[in-house]
Amino acid sequence: MADWVLHVDLDQFIAAVEVLRDPSLRGKPVVVGGNGDPTERAVVATASYEAREFGVHSGMPLRTAFKKLPDAVFLPADHGLYEAASADVMAVLRSFPVVVEVMGWDEAFVGASVDDPFELARSLQAAVLASTGLHCSVGIGDNKLRAKIATEFGKPAGTFQLTRDNWVEVMGHRPTSALWGIGVKTSRKLAELGIATVTDLASASPDALAARFGPRMGPYFRTVGLGAGDTVVSATPWVPKSRSHEKTFQQDLTELEDIRREVVALAHQVAVDVAAEGRPVVRVGVKVRFVPFFTKVRLMKLPAPTSSADDLAAAALTVLDRFEHGRAVRLLGVRAEFSEDRVEPTTSSSTY
């Protein structure tokens, strides 16, 4: 038997849960987000495959989604419903003799020692469908990174295997943005160094990457290009590294005093979550989305760990002062970070 990492990803999860609640939605373009009112300011939480065909996707303003697809069914987000559905799926996965590492509502890594990972993948899919009515795609890999990327090739409701043996064949010619953990901005910066494809990144100079991205992230990006990743799947419960709240305003905020008042209110909401966590905060961040849709985030390290609502509010106001004000504001957010250690990529316990 061999050790495998499987990535289980529920297909169009939120939209699929809404279809289970109301079967009449099946086959229709469904868009979930905000209060379900496309005239209000909010973003798309998820869109069904039928809606995605018209260019509607997660993170898109609801108003934009409505312009693209006015005949779609717009629904409010129901977090409690999705949490319950997710818990049901994870319970099904845990019923197998595997290790399950939950990554979010709609995805989990599964670690297993089996002769045939495809047979296990199909068994997981069948069990999830039979118990919950939800379809999932499964990526099979020899580490987490390859399993995660493999899932995209298996969608929808299929399987795909990505290992060291077929990594170059499948991924080598693809853009660096196809890699897990490398977004559009990083991909653009890599292109400025003449690194366009995954193969380019795998063969790039670690020193050149370190000079551009720092001594940790630069070389790490190269290991991602090689397909390296963590092989350990852990059942240890996920512990949040931060708590945050944000608010989209239906009318733009133009007065600094109004902006400050809203930031204080958000900081106090965050403080309630912090108190429930029972862990002190070491950093506070503020997110500001200016009109028309220009977003900036600022962070500061606190002089000492704290759980005080007043301290968090004061810190948030200090961070707010670091922004250049003058534009109207459409969204504000406050984040409190618990851990003193930043989340850094690691290549320990990894495989190429």
Side-chain angles (χ1 to χ4, degrees):
M1 289 193 295
D3 293 332
W4 296 97
V5 177
L6 280 63
H7 179 251
V8 179
D9 193 356
L10 292 159
D11 298 328
Q12 55 174 1
F13 171 62
I14 293 176
V17 173
E18 291 291 354
V19 170
L20 285 177
R21 174 157 61 178
D22 182 0
S24 70
L25 297 175
R26 192 174 304 278
K28 296 180 180 179
V30 176
V31 180
V32 181
N35 295 318
D37 184 349
T39 66
E40 292 185 357
R41 284 181 174 173
V43 298
V44 175
T46 195
S48 66
Y49 289 131
E50 292 82 3
R52 294 178 196 181
E53 292 178 0
F54 291 85
V56 178
H57 57 78
S58 299
M60 172 182 288
L62 280 181
R63 291 177 179 177
T64 303
F66 182 74
K67 290 179 181 178
K68 288 179 174 290
L69 192 55
D71 294 332
V73 178
F74 288 86
L75 299 173
D78 186 342
H79 294 164
L81 179 68
Y82 313 142
E83 288 176 358
S86 175
D88 290 342
V89 171
M90 301 309 164
V92 172
L93 299 181
R94 293 190 183 100
S95 70
F96 285 75
V98 299
V99 179
V100 178
E101 183 175 340
V102 179
M103 301 300 291
W105 276 347
D106 61 348
E107 62 175 327
F109 285 112
V110 171
S113 294
V114 293
D115 290 324
D116 188 348
F118 282 98
E119 181 181 356
L120 173 59
R122 289 190 290 268
S123 295
L124 293 174
Q125 289 172 316
V128 169
L129 180 60
S131 180
T132 69
L134 296 169
H135 291 274
C136 61
S137 301
V138 180
I140 301 168
D142 46 11
N143 60 38
K144 287 180 176 178
L145 181 138
R146 288 182 177 134
K148 170 80 171 181
I149 295 174
T151 312
E152 293 303 314
F153 295 98
K155 287 182 175 291
T159 60
F160 191 85
Q161 185 180 71
L162 187 58
T163 67
R164 180 178 182 175
D165 293 336
N166 65 344
W167 175 257
V168 175
E169 175 189 352
V170 174
M171 296 298 298
H173 63 287
R174 299 183 185 277
T176 57
S177 58
L179 294 167
W180 184 27
I182 295 184
V184 175
K185 291 183 179 179
T186 300
S187 181
R188 188 179 302 124
K189 292 176 182 177
L190 288 169
E192 293 172 356
L193 299 177
I195 301 171
T197 67
V198 172
T199 295
D200 292 340
L201 183 56
S203 58
S205 163
D207 292 338
L209 291 170
R212 180 64 180 85
F213 298 100
R216 290 191 179 185
M217 294 307 299
Y220 166 71
F221 287 145
R222 180 174 179 273
T223 66
V224 173
L226 290 166
D230 190 1
T231 61
V232 178
V233 178
S234 172
T236 302
W238 177 76
V239 177
K241 294 178 172 62
S242 66
R243 288 293 188 182
S244 63
H245 280 273
E246 61 182 44
K247 182 178 180 180
T248 299
F249 304 101
Q250 299 308 313
Q251 299 295 327
D252 299 333
L253 300 182
T254 57
E255 299 297 327
L256 183 56
E257 191 58 38
D258 293 335
I259 296 171
R260 290 173 63 85
R261 184 177 63 254
E262 293 290 349
V263 165
V264 169
L266 287 167
H268 280 270
Q269 290 180 41
V270 171
V272 173
D273 294 339
V274 168
E277 286 288 336
R279 291 183 288 157
V281 173
V282 296
R283 274 180 297 273
V284 171
V286 174
K287 175 181 179 180
V288 181
R289 179 165 295 151
F290 297 98
V291 172
F293 208 82
F294 179 68
T295 306
K296 284 288 188 180
V297 177
R298 299 279 188 270
L299 276 167
M300 71 169 281
K301 182 178 179 180
L302 299 176
T306 182
S307 298
S308 164
D310 290 340
D311 289 346
L312 296 181
L317 289 176
T318 299
V319 177
L320 181 66
D321 289 339
R322 297 179 180 179
F323 289 86
E324 291 185 11
H325 297 284
R327 293 187 180 187
V329 170
R330 59 180 294 159
L331 176 146
L332 289 168
V334 173
R335 182 171 82 247
E337 297 185 358
F338 297 117
S339 176
E340 190 65 60
D341 299 321
R342 287 197 178 277
V343 180
E344 297 289 356
T346 176
T347 55
S348 63
S349 301
S350 63
T351 177
Y352 288 79

